[in-house]
Amino acid sequence: MASLIHCPHCGVRPKEEFSIRGDASLIRPDPEASDEAWNDYVHIRSNPRGRYREHWQHVAGCRRWLVVERDTFTHEVFAVTDAASSAREAGR
Amino acid sequence: MTAYRLASGGLIDRSAPLDFRFDGRNLTGFSGDTLASALLANDQLLVGRSFKYHRPRGIVTAGPSEPNALVTIGKGADSDPNTKATVAELYSGLDAHSQNRFPSLKYDFGAVNGLLSPFLGAGFYYKTFMWPAAFWEKVYEPIIRKAAGLGRAVLERDPQAYEKCWAHCDLLVIGSGPTGLMAALTAGRAGLRVILADEDFRLGGSLLGETARVNDASAQDFTETVLAELRSLPNVTMMPRTTVFGWYDDNVFGAVERVQKHVALPQAKLPVERLWRIAAKRALLATGAEERPLVFGGNDRPGVIMAGAMRTYANRFGVAAGKSVAIFTNGSAGYRTAADLAAHGVEIAAIIDSRAEGADVAPDGVRVIRSASVIDTKGRQRVCGAVVERSGFEQTIACDAIAMSGGWNPVIHLACQRGAKAIWSEDLKTFLAPDVGNGLVVAGAAAGRYTLAGCLKDGAEKAVVIAADLGFSTVSHTAPAVEGEIDPSFTALWYSPGAKAKAFVDFQNDVHVKDIGLALREGFGHVEHAKRYTTNGMATDQGKLSGINATGLLAAMQGISPADVGTTTFRPFYTPVAFGALAGTSRDEHAAPVRKSPLHGWAQRNGAVFVDSGLWFRPAYFSRGGEKTWRESTDREVRNIRENAGLCDVSTLGKIEVFGPDAAEFLNRLYCNPFLKLPVGKARYGLMLREDGMVYDDGTTSRLSHEHFVMTTTTALAGGVMSHMEYCAQVHWPDLKVRFCSSTDQWAQMAIAGPKARLVLQALVEDDISDAAFPFLAAGAVTLRGGLKARLFRISFSGELAYELAVPAGLGEAVADAVMEEGMAHGICAYGLEALNVLRIEKGHVTHAEFAGRVTPDDAGFGRMVSAQKPDFIGKRLSTRYGLTAADRMQMVGLKPVEPDQHIRAGAHLLREGAKPSTLNDQGYVSSACFSPTLGHDIALAFLKSGRERYGERVVVWDKLAGAEVVAEICNPVFVDPGNTKLNS
Amino acid sequence: MSRTYISRHPLDDLLPLEPGIRAVDHLDVPRSSAIVSVMAMDGEEASVTAGLAASGDVSIRFTGPGEWLAVSQSETPESLHRNLSLLLAETAYFVDQSDGRVVFRLSGPNVRRILAKGIATDLHPAIFEVGTSSNVLCGHISINLARTGENEFELIVMRSFAIALFDDLKVMGREFDLSAGFSVRG
Ligand SMILES: [Zn+2]
């Protein structure tokens, strides 16, 4: 876990200002999607070593949800972006 | 008397004597002394007993690696165990005690362990205490615990204050020796924000005990010149007494500053220690090198001291460790100690050099024995002779101290704390730091550049590179000239052969060479296994002196390179840090913030007894004269509300203002029940699910205008629901035009419940609140007499005619007082959480006691609320899966004891009559229970398999914790006013 | 029957009624402030930013993208709300927070050293410039921090946390004999 996170809205902040939700690559399925799709979305999580995209919320700051792309092994943070922009890009 | 204070010299203030105590003896030192130097000056060499064999042990080093001179400073709650005398700054009145001895340091009963030593080899505990298992708890552990441990932690509360602080800099320089000083100076001159941290109370590192001259001045004068310039630079912060103990992600360093550990009378306004988190763009590790002990027979006898430490004691503290010193060395450093001691008038008994040849020059008249080694030492509680072996011949050399020098180990701990492994250097015969990127650069002796000129140059040069890297330009200046340069060369000697006594590797944990050999023979030769098997490096010093020697020994015993053995893992903390410092101010009332309701003062004035509710303080009940128990107060409050009226503070419920053209759509997707058509001026109960179909939270949401809603959450999940909504709005549906923010703190909100609630309120509210004008679930703005704008909601948790009135928080107490005043004639009372809970259980209303994460809306009786028409909402899809709609799910029911005087407690399980308690026979559980003053007996809400079909049946309420079994009748969970006539009155 | 309601400040029982001795480092607490949450409507972020910049006597505190706190010591909550509604009509939503937030003003030569005991953000004036504001964590409590001068900061905290923050600030300022009192004019 990183010590400092660069919030795109607030600048460099300590990890204590954030809360972590988990995998950011999951996209909420359509209500009509298959049982498997919903099961995967709600229950199935990988625990990868290496590059990972996670949803973090800047709870004590701007309260925005962010996509933190980081390495779970080296703890390097590659990018932090606003989750809404990512969601729009993903065409949600 | 052998060790003594030299007549002159040293960086101590001989005009400022300091009285202190050691084991009850009154002693005197000087300002500038460490406890260790002052003890040595008083010829107190024996300072402790070893961990396992209780062998007498003396001071070995002059720094933070000290394995032996651990003392307890202070008494009672104020005592600090395991303080290293070698770094403890002397102050007037310091009271130190030796550890791990009984009854006294000189006569220690535990030393019989030494007689048992053949049985206490490596792995002894593992082999001996294997069985029977029951013996662990009762026999072995208490014995080991009693015997083990160095200092003792006290049980009293630490009365000292601590704090935490953040710092930011361009360059953090760790270590203020020649390398660090030049780096700080170069970077400081270039304009970088520099922090120079050093664990010592005096900055200068090795320069403080150096006899070489720099720029035609003494090393100490040179140091003062540099420090003076650094002090003049506003961009440079100097932090003495500060140990940088950890290197963390993103170049954040942990450090602990001993703010006033060294003062006789601490100031109340200052912390005793301060924990720093230093965010550094770059850091320079200038921690120098540690002298390596030699592993020879009898090397643990008091008086055997590191050669460099002996030199430091003489040059910096003006203390000679002995009158006649033998020097055992494998390199040039031993000769340097000999020269400096001789210059101070100390006799050099002999130099025992393990090497066959060398260009080093011994002081005039000093005997040098080459190709020789020390195989044993003489003496009891201090050394009185060295047994030297050369070509098979032994001789005993009389001496009262032995200096040992075994080469150099760069202090690279921090660089290896984030996973990178140290790298063996065949050239330097030691481990060096790996390249860990440009965040942390290792320089000077820590990088294996041992000469003084090399350190001064390396520090400056690396600072130039760092400055340029950060966009600063530096002015070039010539490197300081060194006169009388030191020679760091040595020939590695992992073990001095022919030992006639135990040759210790780890002094603190009593690990000697044979233990390492045993570990290897028994298959624990991997460096990490050997560490655990022998406990080498597992003491409070974490193997600072012993680690590399253990690696060298493991390699030598197997005939392989130390590169193939490697080191054990370096982790924070570099030296131990007090828990108090890690906690900082976060203890007692500062451990977690207390949230106070705007009606807190009102509740206090009305006799509230408060209870923690998350971060909030909420009134549990309001005690009146004569009431002896919470139940008496609660029962009175409940009865009064059912008959008259009551006022309860509900300000802590989360309040969220939701705006926008898509606000209704947003809420409609958030809740499982419909919200699109909620009329303006109306409130509706809403149930929020998790995506897995279980209930998440509930509350009422009111539509104040077409595009403005105010929703409420439970107190417990106010923060969680807000984050959930933000996630939904930002991640799931970023295109919905909705904005929301919390207004929880803006409003003081009070529930006014009971048949007389309207009478009370109408006296205060200008608007018509008759049932016709303001029916159940009406919501909107009202004006209080006097013109105050407020919000009024006709909602009821108690089942009574009830309202919630919200006013701006600052006016909350005044309005609550007014309500109480108007209500007095109608018998109003204040009521707390306990009464609130009883009222809602009587009415069959749910809270998080019911919504515990495994409950669906249908389980709780809200099945019909869930909208089948809505195309989507959070939790919709998984609500329909088989397991969540099965007929035998546990459904919420009411329970009442068949014998009315029997009690039911929450958490009890339900069984069929006659069934044995087992997981298989489990029929459900009680979620909430209370005594109902309205009905005169206990009632409960419970979840029971197919419960709604079983009204009238009996179950056994099995409460293992209370050891009680009660037969109860299953009933409708609404115990009071099932027809809602009171609610709608 | 007409009634008047007297407003209470959360620190009423904790701060002296009369201003006491003022140390060089001082915590000044306005007894009341008008504070409004401003939330830009979708797509109106830029125009609201521009509108707020032109709002004159009102201090604007950044809380998140498209969201601000507007703070005034001279206006009443009602007038601030009304004026902003006129100024930013049809571009933003407003929520009165005048009773829901408490303002602390910290000033003096040691303010940065005091704040560093709770706030991780680098407050060097070249980095956190005068006029900057942001939500930050101070100890365990989320606040809005604004730099109003080289050695002056304004902290805005949720009302329910005001006493806890005040207690924390007293501890943080103890080293510098930090004094505290209600604003003389507020
Ligand atoms: Zn942010």
Side-chain angles (χ1 to χ4, degrees):
Chain A
M1 175 135 71
S3 301
L4 302 171
I5 290 290
H6 193 117
C7 172
H9 308 298
C10 307
V12 178
R13 295 306 179 86
K15 66 171 184 295
E16 289 80 1
E17 289 190 0
F18 299 82
S19 69
I20 307 173
R21 181 184 167 109
D23 194 349
S25 66
L26 299 165
I27 295 179
R28 189 170 182 269
D30 186 271
E32 305 303 319
S34 67
D35 285 355
E36 286 71 24
W38 274 97
N39 183 46
D40 284 355
Y41 172 71
V42 175
H43 298 122
I44 307 300
R45 295 291 181 274
S46 59
N47 184 18
R49 171 176 164 149
R51 232 176 155 101
Y52 195 41
R53 281 160 51 85
E54 271 177 333
H55 274 139
W56 289 41
Q57 189 185 15
H58 194 185
V59 275
C62 61
R63 296 201 61 91
R64 294 293 294 184
W65 281 93
L66 308 169
V67 175
V68 175
E69 191 167 0
R70 67 181 188 109
D71 191 305
T72 58
F73 181 66
T74 65
H75 299 183
E76 184 178 353
V77 175
F78 305 106
V80 185
T81 50
D82 190 278
S85 326
S86 308
R88 283 200 183 91
E89 275 165 34
R92 290 183 192 186
Chain B
M1 292 289 280
T2 48
Y4 60 100
R5 181 78 71 180
L6 296 165
S8 64
L11 300 173
I12 47 166
D13 184 353
R14 289 170 195 260
S15 68
L18 299 173
D19 294 326
F20 70 103
R21 286 161 75 83
F22 179 72
D23 278 348
R25 274 176 69 206
N26 292 312
L27 302 170
T28 306
F30 292 119
S31 172
D33 261 329
T34 61
L35 174 58
S37 68
L39 285 171
L40 272 181
N42 285 281
D43 197 31
Q44 179 70 47
L45 234 75
L46 175 67
V47 287
R49 289 272 172 176
S50 71
F51 181 66
K52 199 156 78 180
Y53 304 129
H54 288 242
R55 287 167 73 103
R57 288 286 163 78
I59 296 160
V60 176
T61 70
S65 312
E66 178 59 35
N68 289 348
L70 304 185
V71 298
T72 297
I73 292 183
K75 273 194 173 147
D78 252 333
S79 69
D80 270 316
N82 295 343
T83 302
K84 290 179 283 283
T86 48
V87 296
E89 190 174 348
L90 195 69
Y91 58 86
S92 173
L94 185 151
D95 189 8
H97 293 267
S98 58
Q99 304 178 158
N100 201 34
R101 82 291 190 269
F102 177 80
S104 76
L105 196 52
K106 268 190 160 167
Y107 308 100
D108 180 67
F109 285 160
V112 293
N113 273 9
L115 304 175
L116 299 174
S117 65
F119 309 104
L120 290 174
F124 168 74
Y125 292 104
Y126 301 118
K127 290 169 186 165
T128 311
F129 300 132
M130 294 220 316
W131 54 267
F135 265 46
W136 253 116
E137 216 176 297
K138 295 204 173 81
V139 182
Y140 300 145
E141 203 186 299
I143 291 174
I144 294 172
R145 280 199 185 283
K146 203 162 183 190
L150 295 156
R152 295 206 180 280
V154 289
L155 296 176
E156 292 101 312
R157 188 181 189 293
D158 187 348
Q160 303 287 3
Y162 299 85
E163 70 179 22
K164 293 201 250 189
C165 205
W166 279 88
H168 304 264
C169 62
D170 295 317
L171 175 64
L172 168 66
V173 178
I174 305 161
S176 66
T179 312
L181 277 187
M182 288 309 290
L185 186 63
T186 308
R189 283 174 175 168
L192 279 77
R193 289 164 73 191
V194 177
I195 292 175
L196 174 63
D198 196 297
E199 60 199 346
D200 205 323
F201 54 88
R202 187 163 185 145
L203 298 178
S206 62
L207 290 169
L208 300 177
E210 186 51 68
T211 44
R213 293 173 65 79
V214 185
N215 279 353
D216 276 335
S218 74
Q220 294 75 43
D221 287 347
F222 168 77
T223 304
E224 271 315 309
T225 310
V226 174
L227 290 174
E229 182 173 350
L230 287 172
R231 274 184 215 109
S232 74
L233 296 172
N235 51 320
V236 175
T237 305
M238 291 196 277
M239 298 177 68
R241 299 187 180 94
T242 304
T243 304
V244 180
F245 58 72
W247 180 38
Y248 301 96
D249 289 339
D250 306 300
N251 243 32
V252 173
F253 291 81
V256 64
E257 179 187 3
R258 288 166 288 278
V259 180
Q260 45 179 0
K261 274 271 180 196
H262 58 290
V263 295
L265 290 171
Q267 288 184 63
K269 67 180 189 179
L270 287 177
V272 64
E273 288 187 342
R274 187 181 281 139
L275 191 94
W276 288 91
R277 279 167 291 177
I278 304 171
K281 285 191 184 130
R282 298 283 190 277
L284 188 97
L285 194 65
T287 38
E290 187 80 58
E291 195 168 20
R292 191 184 293 169
L294 285 169
V295 181
F296 60 90
N299 63 345
D300 70 326
R301 201 168 311 279
V304 180
I305 301 176
M306 300 306 308
M310 227 186 246
R311 199 170 156 245
T312 300
Y313 284 120
N315 294 341
R316 177 175 168 186
F317 299 105
V319 175
K323 285 193 164 136
S324 177
V325 178
I327 292 171
F328 183 21
T329 185
N330 66 348
S332 297
Y335 291 82
R336 195 165 181 85
T337 299
D340 284 7
L341 292 180
H344 286 297
V346 175
E347 181 188 286
I348 307 300
I351 297 176
I352 301 111
D353 191 333
S354 68
R355 301 170 300 173
E357 52 198 67
D360 308 291
V361 181
D364 278 351
V366 170
R367 185 176 158 213
V368 177
I369 313 173
R370 292 195 174 275
S371 302
S373 57
V374 178
I375 57 171
D376 199 358
T377 57
K378 298 286 183 192
R380 287 185 65 83
Q381 294 190 343
R382 72 169 304 158
V383 71
C384 68
V387 182
V388 176
E389 190 265 0
R390 182 175 187 272
S391 310
F393 294 97
E394 286 178 21
Q395 57 181 311
T396 300
I397 293 171
C399 60
D400 57 15
I402 299 175
M404 60 174 164
S405 177
W408 303 101
N409 295 329
V411 179
I412 55 170
H413 301 62
L414 286 174
C416 298
Q417 282 181 352
R418 286 170 66 193
K421 287 280 179 193
I423 295 167
W424 174 254
S425 163
E426 194 53 40
D427 278 353
L428 296 170
K429 293 284 186 280
T430 192
F431 284 93
L432 292 178
D435 182 358
V436 288
N438 60 8
L440 179 64
V441 175
V442 188
R449 290 174 175 81
Y450 299 129
T451 64
L452 183 50
C455 286
L456 294 163
K457 186 162 171 277
D458 201 32
E461 282 179 1
K462 282 179 172 152
V464 167
V465 174
I466 288 166
D469 213 23
L470 295 175
F472 292 84
S473 55
T474 43
V475 187
S476 71
H477 54 93
T478 46
V482 173
E483 190 187 321
E485 183 58 275
I486 58 172
D487 176 358
S489 65
F490 68 94
T491 303
L493 177 67
W494 298 115
Y495 172 52
S496 184
K500 288 198 155 177
K502 283 198 180 74
F504 282 90
V505 184
D506 186 317
F507 295 116
Q508 199 174 122
N509 262 356
D510 271 347
V511 179
H512 53 102
V513 172
K514 284 183 177 164
D515 293 324
I516 307 262
L518 185 67
L520 192 59
R521 284 201 306 282
E522 298 197 336
F524 296 95
H526 186 284
V527 65
E528 298 281 12
H529 293 157
K531 169 178 171 173
R532 273 99 192 150
Y533 200 65
T534 63
T535 72
N536 191 88
M538 287 172 66
T540 65
D541 63 346
Q542 290 286 289
K544 285 189 179 57
L545 290 186
S546 64
I548 305 299
N549 273 342
T551 291
L553 280 163
L554 283 168
M557 287 170 177
Q558 297 172 86
I560 58 176
S561 163
D564 300 322
V565 175
T567 64
T568 54
T569 308
F570 295 90
R571 296 187 180 89
F573 299 50
Y574 173 65
T575 47
V577 176
F579 280 115
L582 296 172
T585 55
S586 297
R587 55 192 227 187
D588 304 320
E589 70 274 21
H590 296 276
V594 170
R595 291 184 83 175
K596 282 196 176 156
S597 151
L599 296 180
H600 190 86
W602 165 84
Q604 253 171 338
R605 282 199 304 279
N606 283 273
V609 175
F610 290 92
V611 63
D612 284 11
S613 173
L615 297 179
W616 294 97
F617 259 38
R618 298 186 68 184
Y621 56 96
F622 292 80
S623 192
R624 282 194 186 169
E627 289 171 351
K628 289 186 190 71
T629 66
W630 68 272
R631 262 283 307 279
E632 283 183 55
S633 306
T634 302
D635 290 356
R636 169 189 46 80
E637 289 168 20
V638 170
R639 285 193 195 100
N640 193 61
I641 289 147
R642 295 270 182 239
E643 285 161 25
N644 298 308
L647 192 164
C648 180
D649 180 8
V650 292
S651 305
T652 59
L653 295 180
K655 297 176 266 303
I656 301 168
E657 314 275 329
V658 187
F659 295 90
D662 291 330
E665 172 64 24
F666 179 63
L667 294 171
N668 205 44
R669 294 185 194 182
L670 219 48
Y671 284 117
C672 71
N673 51 320
F675 269 87
L676 278 182
K677 290 177 185 154
L678 178 67
V680 172
K682 282 287 178 191
R684 179 170 292 171
Y685 177 73
L687 208 51
M688 232 180 249
L689 307 189
R690 303 191 310 216
E691 202 70 273
D692 65 2
M694 303 300 174
V695 177
Y696 176 53
D697 200 45
D698 65 350
T700 52
T701 291
S702 308
R703 194 169 205 162
L704 300 183
S705 74
H706 190 64
E707 294 188 6
H708 179 194
F709 295 77
V710 57
M711 76 188 266
T712 63
T713 72
T714 59
T715 301
L717 284 185
V721 168
M722 188 72 182
S723 284
H724 172 62
M725 288 169 65
E726 285 159 336
Y727 188 81
C728 290
Q730 293 167 32
V731 178
H732 290 332
W733 312 307
D735 293 327
L736 282 187
K737 292 182 180 354
V738 61
R739 281 276 189 186
F740 47 89
C741 74
S742 166
S743 63
T744 304
D745 284 59
Q746 169 67 15
W747 300 96
Q749 195 149 321
M750 48 207 99
I752 297 138
K756 312 241 174 93
R758 185 183 295 120
L759 278 174
V760 176
L761 259 185
Q762 191 66 77
L764 275 175
V765 178
E766 287 184 353
D767 312 63
D768 177 9
I769 56 166
S770 65
D771 190 53
F774 206 80
F776 184 56
L777 293 179
V782 294
T783 306
L784 303 191
R785 296 195 197 284
L788 177 61
K789 300 280 182 216
R791 286 173 175 178
L792 190 66
F793 309 88
R794 185 159 164 203
I795 49 183
S796 174
F797 197 40
S798 57
E800 295 298 321
L801 165 67
Y803 300 83
E804 284 187 17
L805 176 67
V807 296
L811 300 168
E813 288 196 34
V815 172
D817 284 344
V819 174
M820 295 298 281
E821 214 179 290
E822 296 293 351
M824 193 143 42
H826 305 289
I828 197 168
C829 72
Y831 68 104
L833 285 185
E834 294 295 349
L836 190 77
N837 196 42
V838 172
L839 291 163
R840 69 94 193 169
I841 295 172
E842 288 182 340
K843 182 66 183 173
H845 279 163
V846 288
T847 65
H848 282 299
E850 281 67 44
F851 294 148
R854 294 182 302 158
V855 169
T856 68
D858 187 61
D859 295 344
F862 294 112
R864 271 179 297 171
M865 262 177 70
V866 182
S867 166
Q869 276 76 49
K870 290 202 279 187
D872 192 12
F873 59 83
I874 298 288
K876 177 182 168 87
R877 184 61 162 78
L878 266 62
S879 292
T880 58
R881 60 191 158 136
Y882 170 73
L884 269 64
T885 54
D888 66 342
R889 282 193 66 83
M890 293 179 187
Q891 296 167 336
M892 194 172 91
V893 296
L895 293 178
K896 45 190 177 192
V898 173
E899 302 292 333
D901 58 343
Q902 290 196 304
H903 298 295
I904 300 178
R905 291 173 191 83
H909 278 253
L910 306 180
L911 298 164
R912 288 184 191 279
E913 280 184 294
K916 269 186 157 177
S918 73
T919 308
L920 205 65
N921 288 336
D922 189 17
Q923 289 279 300
Y925 60 93
V926 177
S927 55
S928 300
C930 68
F931 173 77
S932 164
T934 313
L935 302 174
H937 57 76
D938 272 20
I939 56 170
L941 300 180
F943 286 84
L944 174 71
K945 283 188 173 175
S946 311
R948 285 195 291 269
E949 302 164 6
R950 297 169 63 178
Y951 292 169
E953 257 183 55
R954 287 178 172 191
V955 282
V956 173
V957 180
W958 179 72
D959 184 347
K960 174 127 194 232
L961 287 177
E965 286 188 18
V966 172
V967 180
E969 187 192 315
I970 305 163
C971 60
N972 187 306
V974 185
F975 296 91
V976 166
D977 189 27
N980 286 337
T981 50
K982 300 187 92 177
L983 195 75
N984 287 310
S985 65
Chain C
M1 187 180 77
S2 182
R3 281 189 168 272
T4 50
Y5 303 98
I6 293 163
S7 186
R8 275 184 63 83
H9 190 280
L11 301 185
D12 266 345
D13 297 335
L14 299 169
L15 287 177
L17 292 170
E18 299 298 321
I21 296 162
R22 205 186 150 104
V24 285
D25 295 293
H26 183 71
L27 185 66
D28 179 66
V29 186
R31 199 173 263 286
S32 66
S33 311
I35 305 173
V36 170
S37 275
V38 180
M39 294 175 280
M41 290 180 190
D42 208 53
E44 301 286 351
E45 288 80 359
S47 66
V48 175
T49 307
L52 288 172
S55 60
D57 200 20
V58 178
S59 305
I60 304 305
R61 307 283 183 240
F62 173 80
T63 55
E67 299 185 6
W68 302 265
L69 287 175
V71 185
S72 170
Q73 301 301 337
S74 51
E75 300 202 54
T76 63
E78 296 75 20
S79 69
L80 178 63
H81 200 146
R82 190 170 52 242
N83 293 347
L84 288 170
S85 306
L86 290 171
L87 182 74
L88 301 168
E90 305 306 311
T91 58
Y93 306 105
F94 309 96
V95 176
D96 183 12
Q97 303 279 15
S98 306
D99 281 67
R101 297 288 186 279
V102 174
V103 177
F104 291 93
R105 292 194 196 125
L106 193 59
S107 62
N110 296 301
V111 281
R112 268 176 66 197
R113 292 183 59 188
I114 292 171
L115 290 174
K117 296 180 189 187
I119 297 173
T121 305
D122 188 355
L123 299 180
H124 190 280
I127 290 163
F128 199 89
E129 296 170 1
V130 174
T132 310
S133 56
S134 186
N135 286 354
V136 301
L137 197 60
C138 180
H140 303 287
I141 302 170
S142 179
I143 61 165
N144 184 272
L145 179 75
R147 187 180 220 127
T148 49
E150 168 91 26
N151 286 323
E152 282 175 34
F153 291 86
E154 209 168 275
L155 290 70
I156 301 178
V157 67
M158 288 198 283
R159 181 190 183 96
S160 56
F161 285 106
I163 294 172
L165 182 69
F166 177 68
D167 286 344
D168 284 352
L169 288 171
K170 277 196 304 190
V171 172
M172 289 155 70
R174 191 170 55 184
E175 179 181 355
F176 306 103
D177 303 312
L178 179 74
S179 56
F182 281 119
S183 299
V184 176
R185 68 185 176 92

